[in-house]
Amino acid sequence: MFVFGLAVVFKLFSIQFIDGEKYKALAEKRVVKDVVIPANRGNVYSVNGNLLATSIPKYDIRIDAVTSSSKNFTRYLKPLSDSLSKFSGKSSGYYQKELRKARSNKNRYFLLARNIGYSDYIRLRNFPLLNLGAFKGGLIVEQTTRREHPMGGIAQRTIGYERVDEQGNVTRPGIDGAFGIKYLRGVDGKRKKQRIGKGQWKPLSDANEIEPKDGYDVYTTIDVNIQDIAHHALLEQLEKYKADHGCVVVMETKTGEVRAISNLGRSSKGLYYEKRNYAVWESHEPGSTFKLMAVAAALEDKVIDTSDVVDTEKGIIWYYGKPVRDSKWGGYGKISVSEAFEVSSNTGIVKAIYNAYKTKPEKFIDRLYDMNLDDTLQIPIIGEGKPIIPDPRIKNGRWSGIALQWMAYGYGVSFTPLQTLTFYNAIANDGEMVKPQFLKEVREFDRVVVPFEKEVINRQVCSKETIEKVQRLLKNVVEKKHGTGNRLYSENFSMAGKTGTCQKDYRDKEKLNYISSFAGYFPAENPKYSCIVVIHEPDKSVGYYGADVSGPVFKRIAQKIHTDTPLVDEVEVLEIKKASIEKEYESYYDLAQTYKTIMPDLVGLPAMDAITLLENMEVEIKVRLVGSGTIKKQSVSKSVKLKNNQTIVLSAS
């Protein structure tokens, strides 16, 4: 027995002192853990300070039914139940019964309220018993955050979010996703929780071990007024033409700041919502809107001129057994390159480009490269589609005997709407291509942490001469009666742009559909905004031409923006000196400097000037004015020495 006793003592000594730290750590690991407290994500604002996305704190309120003393539990049970009854609508008796049951079952994690807002949280923590805190009252508070979009579905995909699924996969669309890690996320905090059985964990105290640091606020370039205009103009047209999806982007010409971006897709129920960011993601054949790039390249290489004449050959030309057709049956006859662009003649533009580059197609491709059309915009929003330009020098199966001809009118090439708009914006901006901007600045309260400046992609995409020529072409598309965009013309407001109607899924006649687009800028002179509208798969029985489907959206947006923010000419204020006024001022100034204690001659002075002069003298006097206008009489004669508290009566008429 003595040996057995020694063995027990030795084992106790070994556990306590030799392996003590090991067992303490193991015990603590099993019953205590560090839990991450998510930092509040920064807010996302519009350029004019409207809230676009914010993190709303939500709270779960629980009670440790065991930790409070019997005296406190008995004393506050009914008052607490009465308060909970008023809060939830359930009876006081129900809560008394459930709380007694929780205490008898040693429930240390009894739920009182789930997913409540901050004001309700403050209200509950002041209820009887709970107001004693974590140790005496058993209060347990667990906070989570939820991302809210005050504008609802408008621009929701572009504003974006950051979500993590059960497998740990992260999706980060839009601005919120693109700048989440760097600016919005913040630094998480930590607190300790204790295991209380049945897989449940209770906070050890009501205070955090490490406080979280909230994320920065991000101010976007989005203007909520323009965004609202673009969203509803697009939605109305999608519903009218029963289209599958569409997008609109409005960009400020000089800076590249995106003022509005709307992406709407149709659900299985026929309703439209922000399904995908089509403007950034969807790379597709642009159709006739690419004719601007083709003509600009040929003009820059001086292989064509706008006055050159081309034969549209009754509206159809064949290349290697494949036809190029005009939308007008019978074609346009012999017309200039300028008119071919304005009426959007496929045969005219294709013939001009093919004849100019058929022996050296790589020269055409190189010119497109020089205009940065092969590059992505490298915008921070994740998922930008890649441009596609066939090149005879690259063996990837894209180049063929008809590649050059098809490229001339927008087939075989592929761009996202935002990439197409960036080139049109460069033409509006006299050749300077600027990168689309989605962020204005990052702030911490009122302090600007990171400002975002204009980024130039290409100082001059082509010569001033070429720019002026294509600007005239784009203006003629709308202004001239034969132009495809003439129905958008308004005497009160000028616009410039290009229509586009592109076949989609044309290799399968049963799936054949259309993409309708319009890209341009407004006003035509000194443009302030550029805009692109792309609508996919409109109902062919209603209409599918770009001028009919996308053009009216462009016009509504342009006119509404112009109406809400009219251009104002500032007139420089001229400083004109009038001799009589100058003389009066000098006379008044001399009087004020000369007469400090002696009564001046005030007859003929304006009443207000006379009072001001007397009140600024070095003697404390009282002035009483009778009448108004100019002084006709004064009660104290000129040159009389004034005394303190003396009253002077001035008569004016």
Short mmCIF file of all heavy atoms in Angstrom, two decimals, residues 592-643:
data_model
loop_
_atom_site.label_atom_id
_atom_site.label_comp_id
_atom_site.label_asym_id
_atom_site.label_seq_id
_atom_site.Cartn_x
_atom_site.Cartn_y
_atom_site.Cartn_z
N ALA A 592 -13.71 110.75 -43.52
CA ALA A 592 -13.53 109.78 -42.45
C ALA A 592 -12.15 109.86 -41.83
O ALA A 592 -11.98 109.63 -40.63
CB ALA A 592 -13.79 108.38 -42.98
N GLN A 593 -11.15 110.19 -42.65
CA GLN A 593 -9.78 110.28 -42.15
C GLN A 593 -9.51 111.61 -41.44
O GLN A 593 -8.68 111.69 -40.54
CB GLN A 593 -8.79 110.10 -43.31
CG GLN A 593 -8.82 108.72 -43.95
CD GLN A 593 -8.49 107.62 -42.96
OE1 GLN A 593 -7.52 107.70 -42.22
NE2 GLN A 593 -9.33 106.59 -42.94
N THR A 594 -10.22 112.69 -41.83
CA THR A 594 -9.95 114.05 -41.31
C THR A 594 -10.71 114.32 -40.02
O THR A 594 -10.15 114.83 -39.04
CB THR A 594 -10.33 115.11 -42.37
OG1 THR A 594 -9.60 114.83 -43.56
CG2 THR A 594 -9.99 116.51 -41.86
N TYR A 595 -12.00 113.97 -40.00
CA TYR A 595 -12.86 114.33 -38.86
C TYR A 595 -13.01 113.15 -37.91
O TYR A 595 -13.77 112.22 -38.17
CB TYR A 595 -14.24 114.79 -39.37
CG TYR A 595 -14.16 116.08 -40.16
CD1 TYR A 595 -14.04 116.05 -41.54
CD2 TYR A 595 -14.19 117.31 -39.51
CE1 TYR A 595 -13.96 117.22 -42.27
CE2 TYR A 595 -14.12 118.50 -40.23
CZ TYR A 595 -14.00 118.45 -41.62
OH TYR A 595 -13.91 119.62 -42.34
N LYS A 596 -12.25 113.23 -36.79
CA LYS A 596 -12.30 112.18 -35.78
C LYS A 596 -13.08 112.64 -34.54
O LYS A 596 -13.72 111.84 -33.88
CB LYS A 596 -10.89 111.76 -35.37
CG LYS A 596 -10.07 111.16 -36.51
CD LYS A 596 -10.60 109.81 -36.93
CE LYS A 596 -9.70 109.15 -37.96
NZ LYS A 596 -10.25 107.84 -38.40
N THR A 597 -13.00 113.93 -34.24
CA THR A 597 -13.69 114.49 -33.06
C THR A 597 -14.47 115.75 -33.41
O THR A 597 -15.13 116.32 -32.55
CB THR A 597 -12.68 114.83 -31.95
OG1 THR A 597 -11.73 115.77 -32.45
CG2 THR A 597 -11.96 113.57 -31.48
N ILE A 598 -14.37 116.20 -34.64
CA ILE A 598 -15.02 117.45 -35.08
C ILE A 598 -16.13 117.10 -36.07
O ILE A 598 -15.96 116.23 -36.92
CB ILE A 598 -14.00 118.40 -35.73
CG1 ILE A 598 -12.92 118.79 -34.70
CG2 ILE A 598 -14.68 119.65 -36.27
CD1 ILE A 598 -11.78 119.56 -35.28
N MET A 599 -17.26 117.78 -35.94
CA MET A 599 -18.42 117.51 -36.78
C MET A 599 -18.12 117.83 -38.23
O MET A 599 -17.76 118.96 -38.57
CB MET A 599 -19.62 118.35 -36.29
CG MET A 599 -20.89 118.07 -37.05
SD MET A 599 -21.48 116.40 -36.73
CE MET A 599 -22.83 116.31 -37.88
N PRO A 600 -18.30 116.86 -39.15
CA PRO A 600 -18.07 117.13 -40.57
C PRO A 600 -19.34 117.67 -41.24
O PRO A 600 -20.43 117.65 -40.65
CB PRO A 600 -17.74 115.74 -41.12
CG PRO A 600 -18.49 114.81 -40.22
CD PRO A 600 -18.54 115.45 -38.87
N ASP A 601 -19.20 118.10 -42.46
CA ASP A 601 -20.34 118.54 -43.25
C ASP A 601 -20.93 117.32 -43.95
O ASP A 601 -20.32 116.74 -44.85
CB ASP A 601 -19.90 119.58 -44.27
CG ASP A 601 -21.08 120.13 -45.06
OD1 ASP A 601 -22.24 119.79 -44.72
OD2 ASP A 601 -20.85 120.89 -46.03
N LEU A 602 -22.13 116.91 -43.51
CA LEU A 602 -22.75 115.68 -44.02
C LEU A 602 -23.83 115.95 -45.05
O LEU A 602 -24.39 115.00 -45.61
CB LEU A 602 -23.35 114.87 -42.86
CG LEU A 602 -22.37 114.46 -41.75
CD1 LEU A 602 -23.12 113.75 -40.64
CD2 LEU A 602 -21.25 113.59 -42.29
N VAL A 603 -24.15 117.21 -45.31
CA VAL A 603 -25.21 117.55 -46.25
C VAL A 603 -24.85 117.04 -47.66
O VAL A 603 -23.74 117.30 -48.15
CB VAL A 603 -25.47 119.07 -46.28
CG1 VAL A 603 -26.52 119.42 -47.35
CG2 VAL A 603 -25.93 119.56 -44.91
N GLY A 604 -25.79 116.31 -48.25
CA GLY A 604 -25.56 115.77 -49.58
C GLY A 604 -25.11 114.32 -49.59
O GLY A 604 -25.14 113.65 -50.62
N LEU A 605 -24.67 113.80 -48.40
CA LEU A 605 -24.24 112.40 -48.32
C LEU A 605 -25.46 111.48 -48.18
O LEU A 605 -26.48 111.87 -47.59
CB LEU A 605 -23.34 112.18 -47.11
CG LEU A 605 -21.86 112.55 -47.22
CD1 LEU A 605 -21.17 112.23 -45.90
CD2 LEU A 605 -21.18 111.78 -48.35
N PRO A 606 -25.37 110.25 -48.68
CA PRO A 606 -26.42 109.28 -48.41
C PRO A 606 -26.55 109.05 -46.90
O PRO A 606 -25.54 109.07 -46.18
CB PRO A 606 -25.94 108.01 -49.11
CG PRO A 606 -25.02 108.51 -50.18
CD PRO A 606 -24.35 109.72 -49.61
N ALA A 607 -27.77 108.87 -46.43
CA ALA A 607 -28.02 108.77 -44.99
C ALA A 607 -27.20 107.67 -44.34
O ALA A 607 -26.63 107.86 -43.26
CB ALA A 607 -29.52 108.52 -44.76
N MET A 608 -27.10 106.47 -44.98
CA MET A 608 -26.37 105.36 -44.39
C MET A 608 -24.88 105.64 -44.29
O MET A 608 -24.22 105.27 -43.32
CB MET A 608 -26.61 104.07 -45.19
CG MET A 608 -28.06 103.60 -45.18
SD MET A 608 -28.77 103.50 -43.52
CE MET A 608 -27.74 102.26 -42.77
N ASP A 609 -24.32 106.35 -45.30
CA ASP A 609 -22.91 106.73 -45.24
C ASP A 609 -22.65 107.71 -44.11
O ASP A 609 -21.63 107.63 -43.41
CB ASP A 609 -22.48 107.35 -46.58
CG ASP A 609 -22.34 106.31 -47.68
OD1 ASP A 609 -22.42 105.11 -47.36
OD2 ASP A 609 -22.16 106.70 -48.85
N ALA A 610 -23.59 108.66 -43.91
CA ALA A 610 -23.43 109.66 -42.86
C ALA A 610 -23.46 109.02 -41.48
O ALA A 610 -22.64 109.35 -40.60
CB ALA A 610 -24.55 110.70 -42.98
N ILE A 611 -24.39 108.08 -41.27
CA ILE A 611 -24.48 107.39 -39.98
C ILE A 611 -23.23 106.57 -39.72
O ILE A 611 -22.67 106.58 -38.62
CB ILE A 611 -25.74 106.50 -39.95
CG1 ILE A 611 -27.00 107.36 -39.97
CG2 ILE A 611 -25.73 105.60 -38.71
CD1 ILE A 611 -28.28 106.58 -40.16
N THR A 612 -22.77 105.86 -40.74
CA THR A 612 -21.56 105.03 -40.61
C THR A 612 -20.36 105.89 -40.23
O THR A 612 -19.55 105.52 -39.38
CB THR A 612 -21.28 104.27 -41.92
OG1 THR A 612 -22.41 103.48 -42.27
CG2 THR A 612 -20.06 103.38 -41.80
N LEU A 613 -20.24 107.04 -40.88
CA LEU A 613 -19.10 107.93 -40.62
C LEU A 613 -19.12 108.43 -39.18
O LEU A 613 -18.09 108.43 -38.50
CB LEU A 613 -19.16 109.11 -41.60
CG LEU A 613 -17.91 109.98 -41.65
CD1 LEU A 613 -17.53 110.29 -43.08
CD2 LEU A 613 -18.16 111.27 -40.89
N LEU A 614 -20.31 108.83 -38.67
CA LEU A 614 -20.40 109.33 -37.30
C LEU A 614 -20.15 108.23 -36.28
O LEU A 614 -19.52 108.46 -35.24
CB LEU A 614 -21.79 109.94 -37.06
CG LEU A 614 -22.08 111.26 -37.80
CD1 LEU A 614 -23.52 111.69 -37.57
CD2 LEU A 614 -21.13 112.37 -37.36
N GLU A 615 -20.64 107.02 -36.55
CA GLU A 615 -20.46 105.92 -35.61
C GLU A 615 -19.02 105.46 -35.50
O GLU A 615 -18.63 104.81 -34.52
CB GLU A 615 -21.35 104.74 -36.02
CG GLU A 615 -22.83 104.99 -35.76
CD GLU A 615 -23.70 103.83 -36.19
OE1 GLU A 615 -23.20 102.97 -36.96
OE2 GLU A 615 -24.87 103.77 -35.77
N ASN A 616 -18.20 105.79 -36.49
CA ASN A 616 -16.79 105.38 -36.48
C ASN A 616 -15.86 106.48 -35.99
O ASN A 616 -14.64 106.35 -36.09
CB ASN A 616 -16.36 104.94 -37.89
CG ASN A 616 -16.93 103.57 -38.24
OD1 ASN A 616 -16.64 102.59 -37.59
ND2 ASN A 616 -17.76 103.52 -39.27
N MET A 617 -16.41 107.54 -35.46
CA MET A 617 -15.57 108.63 -34.93
C MET A 617 -15.02 108.24 -33.56
O MET A 617 -15.48 107.28 -32.94
CB MET A 617 -16.38 109.93 -34.85
CG MET A 617 -16.85 110.42 -36.23
SD MET A 617 -17.69 112.00 -36.18
CE MET A 617 -16.30 113.10 -35.95
N GLU A 618 -14.05 108.99 -33.08
CA GLU A 618 -13.39 108.66 -31.81
C GLU A 618 -14.16 109.21 -30.61
O GLU A 618 -13.68 109.14 -29.48
CB GLU A 618 -11.97 109.22 -31.82
CG GLU A 618 -11.08 108.54 -32.86
CD GLU A 618 -9.68 109.15 -32.90
OE1 GLU A 618 -9.44 110.12 -32.16
OE2 GLU A 618 -8.85 108.64 -33.67
N VAL A 619 -15.34 109.78 -30.83
CA VAL A 619 -16.19 110.30 -29.76
C VAL A 619 -17.46 109.45 -29.72
O VAL A 619 -18.03 109.13 -30.77
CB VAL A 619 -16.57 111.78 -30.02
CG1 VAL A 619 -17.41 112.32 -28.87
CG2 VAL A 619 -15.32 112.62 -30.19
N GLU A 620 -17.90 109.07 -28.50
CA GLU A 620 -19.12 108.28 -28.37
C GLU A 620 -20.32 109.20 -28.46
O GLU A 620 -20.62 109.95 -27.53
CB GLU A 620 -19.11 107.52 -27.04
CG GLU A 620 -18.03 106.46 -26.97
CD GLU A 620 -18.10 105.67 -25.68
OE1 GLU A 620 -19.08 105.88 -24.93
OE2 GLU A 620 -17.20 104.86 -25.43
N ILE A 621 -21.01 109.17 -29.60
CA ILE A 621 -22.16 110.03 -29.83
C ILE A 621 -23.36 109.19 -30.22
O ILE A 621 -23.21 108.03 -30.62
CB ILE A 621 -21.87 111.08 -30.93
CG1 ILE A 621 -21.40 110.37 -32.22
CG2 ILE A 621 -20.86 112.11 -30.46
CD1 ILE A 621 -21.16 111.31 -33.37
N LYS A 622 -24.56 109.81 -30.09
CA LYS A 622 -25.80 109.15 -30.47
C LYS A 622 -26.34 109.81 -31.72
O LYS A 622 -26.36 111.05 -31.82
CB LYS A 622 -26.82 109.22 -29.34
CG LYS A 622 -26.37 108.51 -28.08
CD LYS A 622 -27.38 108.69 -26.96
CE LYS A 622 -26.88 108.02 -25.67
NZ LYS A 622 -27.84 108.22 -24.55
N VAL A 623 -26.78 109.02 -32.68
CA VAL A 623 -27.26 109.56 -33.96
C VAL A 623 -28.73 109.17 -34.12
O VAL A 623 -29.11 108.01 -33.93
CB VAL A 623 -26.45 108.99 -35.14
CG1 VAL A 623 -26.95 109.58 -36.46
CG2 VAL A 623 -24.96 109.28 -34.95
N ARG A 624 -29.58 110.18 -34.46
CA ARG A 624 -31.00 109.93 -34.74
C ARG A 624 -31.31 110.44 -36.14
O ARG A 624 -31.03 111.59 -36.46
CB ARG A 624 -31.87 110.64 -33.70
CG ARG A 624 -33.36 110.32 -33.83
CD ARG A 624 -34.08 110.58 -32.51
NE ARG A 624 -33.98 111.98 -32.11
CZ ARG A 624 -34.85 112.94 -32.47
NH1 ARG A 624 -35.86 112.63 -33.26
NH2 ARG A 624 -34.71 114.17 -32.04
N LEU A 625 -31.85 109.56 -36.96
CA LEU A 625 -32.14 109.88 -38.35
C LEU A 625 -33.64 110.12 -38.52
O LEU A 625 -34.46 109.32 -38.08
CB LEU A 625 -31.70 108.74 -39.28
CG LEU A 625 -32.01 108.90 -40.77
CD1 LEU A 625 -31.22 110.08 -41.36
CD2 LEU A 625 -31.69 107.62 -41.53
N VAL A 626 -33.97 111.23 -39.17
CA VAL A 626 -35.36 111.56 -39.49
C VAL A 626 -35.50 111.52 -41.01
O VAL A 626 -34.83 112.28 -41.71
CB VAL A 626 -35.76 112.95 -38.94
CG1 VAL A 626 -37.22 113.26 -39.32
CG2 VAL A 626 -35.57 113.01 -37.44
N GLY A 627 -36.36 110.64 -41.52
CA GLY A 627 -36.52 110.50 -42.96
C GLY A 627 -35.52 109.52 -43.55
O GLY A 627 -34.83 108.79 -42.84
N SER A 628 -35.40 109.50 -44.88
CA SER A 628 -34.47 108.62 -45.58
C SER A 628 -34.02 109.29 -46.87
O SER A 628 -34.64 110.25 -47.34
CB SER A 628 -35.14 107.27 -45.88
OG SER A 628 -36.26 107.48 -46.73
N GLY A 629 -32.93 108.75 -47.45
CA GLY A 629 -32.40 109.33 -48.68
C GLY A 629 -31.08 110.02 -48.42
O GLY A 629 -30.17 109.43 -47.81
N THR A 630 -30.93 111.27 -48.84
CA THR A 630 -29.69 112.03 -48.63
C THR A 630 -29.90 113.07 -47.53
O THR A 630 -31.01 113.55 -47.31
CB THR A 630 -29.25 112.73 -49.92
OG1 THR A 630 -30.30 113.57 -50.39
CG2 THR A 630 -28.92 111.71 -51.00
N ILE A 631 -28.79 113.39 -46.84
CA ILE A 631 -28.86 114.33 -45.71
C ILE A 631 -29.10 115.76 -46.24
O ILE A 631 -28.37 116.25 -47.11
CB ILE A 631 -27.57 114.29 -44.88
CG1 ILE A 631 -27.31 112.86 -44.37
CG2 ILE A 631 -27.63 115.29 -43.73
CD1 ILE A 631 -28.39 112.30 -43.49
N LYS A 632 -30.15 116.39 -45.68
CA LYS A 632 -30.46 117.79 -46.04
C LYS A 632 -30.12 118.77 -44.93
O LYS A 632 -29.88 119.96 -45.17
CB LYS A 632 -31.96 117.91 -46.36
CG LYS A 632 -32.42 117.05 -47.54
CD LYS A 632 -31.70 117.45 -48.83
CE LYS A 632 -32.18 116.61 -50.01
NZ LYS A 632 -31.44 116.94 -51.26
N LYS A 633 -30.09 118.24 -43.66
CA LYS A 633 -29.85 119.14 -42.53
C LYS A 633 -29.23 118.35 -41.39
O LYS A 633 -29.51 117.17 -41.20
CB LYS A 633 -31.19 119.76 -42.09
CG LYS A 633 -31.08 120.82 -41.02
CD LYS A 633 -32.47 121.38 -40.70
CE LYS A 633 -32.39 122.45 -39.60
NZ LYS A 633 -33.73 122.98 -39.25
N GLN A 634 -28.32 118.99 -40.61
CA GLN A 634 -27.70 118.36 -39.45
C GLN A 634 -27.83 119.29 -38.26
O GLN A 634 -27.71 120.52 -38.39
CB GLN A 634 -26.25 118.02 -39.73
CG GLN A 634 -25.37 119.17 -40.15
CD GLN A 634 -24.02 118.71 -40.68
OE1 GLN A 634 -23.95 118.00 -41.67
NE2 GLN A 634 -22.95 119.14 -40.00
N SER A 635 -28.11 118.73 -37.05
CA SER A 635 -28.38 119.54 -35.85
C SER A 635 -27.14 120.21 -35.31
O SER A 635 -27.21 121.21 -34.57
CB SER A 635 -29.02 118.67 -34.76
OG SER A 635 -28.11 117.65 -34.36
N VAL A 636 -25.95 119.69 -35.60
CA VAL A 636 -24.68 120.29 -35.15
C VAL A 636 -23.95 120.80 -36.38
O VAL A 636 -23.79 120.08 -37.38
CB VAL A 636 -23.81 119.26 -34.40
CG1 VAL A 636 -22.49 119.89 -33.98
CG2 VAL A 636 -24.56 118.71 -33.19
N SER A 637 -23.53 122.04 -36.32
CA SER A 637 -22.88 122.67 -37.47
C SER A 637 -21.50 122.07 -37.73
O SER A 637 -20.87 121.50 -36.85
CB SER A 637 -22.74 124.18 -37.25
OG SER A 637 -24.02 124.76 -37.05
N LYS A 638 -21.04 122.26 -38.94
CA LYS A 638 -19.72 121.80 -39.36
C LYS A 638 -18.63 122.45 -38.52
O LYS A 638 -18.74 123.61 -38.11
CB LYS A 638 -19.53 122.14 -40.84
CG LYS A 638 -18.16 121.84 -41.39
CD LYS A 638 -17.99 122.38 -42.79
CE LYS A 638 -16.56 122.21 -43.28
NZ LYS A 638 -16.35 122.79 -44.62
N SER A 639 -17.57 121.71 -38.20
CA SER A 639 -16.36 122.14 -37.50
C SER A 639 -16.54 122.33 -36.00
O SER A 639 -15.63 122.78 -35.31
CB SER A 639 -15.80 123.44 -38.10
OG SER A 639 -15.50 123.26 -39.47
N VAL A 640 -17.73 121.98 -35.43
CA VAL A 640 -17.95 122.07 -33.99
C VAL A 640 -17.36 120.83 -33.32
O VAL A 640 -17.59 119.71 -33.78
CB VAL A 640 -19.46 122.19 -33.66
CG1 VAL A 640 -19.69 122.12 -32.15
CG2 VAL A 640 -20.02 123.47 -34.23
N LYS A 641 -16.63 121.02 -32.23
CA LYS A 641 -16.02 119.89 -31.52
C LYS A 641 -17.11 119.12 -30.80
O LYS A 641 -17.93 119.69 -30.09
CB LYS A 641 -14.96 120.39 -30.54
CG LYS A 641 -14.15 119.26 -29.90
CD LYS A 641 -13.01 119.83 -29.08
CE LYS A 641 -12.21 118.72 -28.42
NZ LYS A 641 -11.56 117.84 -29.39
N LEU A 642 -17.13 117.81 -30.98
CA LEU A 642 -18.17 116.96 -30.41
C LEU A 642 -17.78 116.47 -29.02
O LEU A 642 -16.60 116.36 -28.68
CB LEU A 642 -18.42 115.77 -31.33
CG LEU A 642 -18.89 116.12 -32.75
CD1 LEU A 642 -18.95 114.87 -33.61
CD2 LEU A 642 -20.26 116.79 -32.71
N LYS A 643 -18.84 116.17 -28.20
CA LYS A 643 -18.64 115.69 -26.84
C LYS A 643 -19.22 114.27 -26.70
O LYS A 643 -20.11 113.88 -27.44
CB LYS A 643 -19.34 116.63 -25.85
CG LYS A 643 -18.83 118.07 -25.89
CD LYS A 643 -19.64 118.94 -24.95
CE LYS A 643 -19.17 120.40 -25.00
NZ LYS A 643 -19.98 121.28 -24.12
#
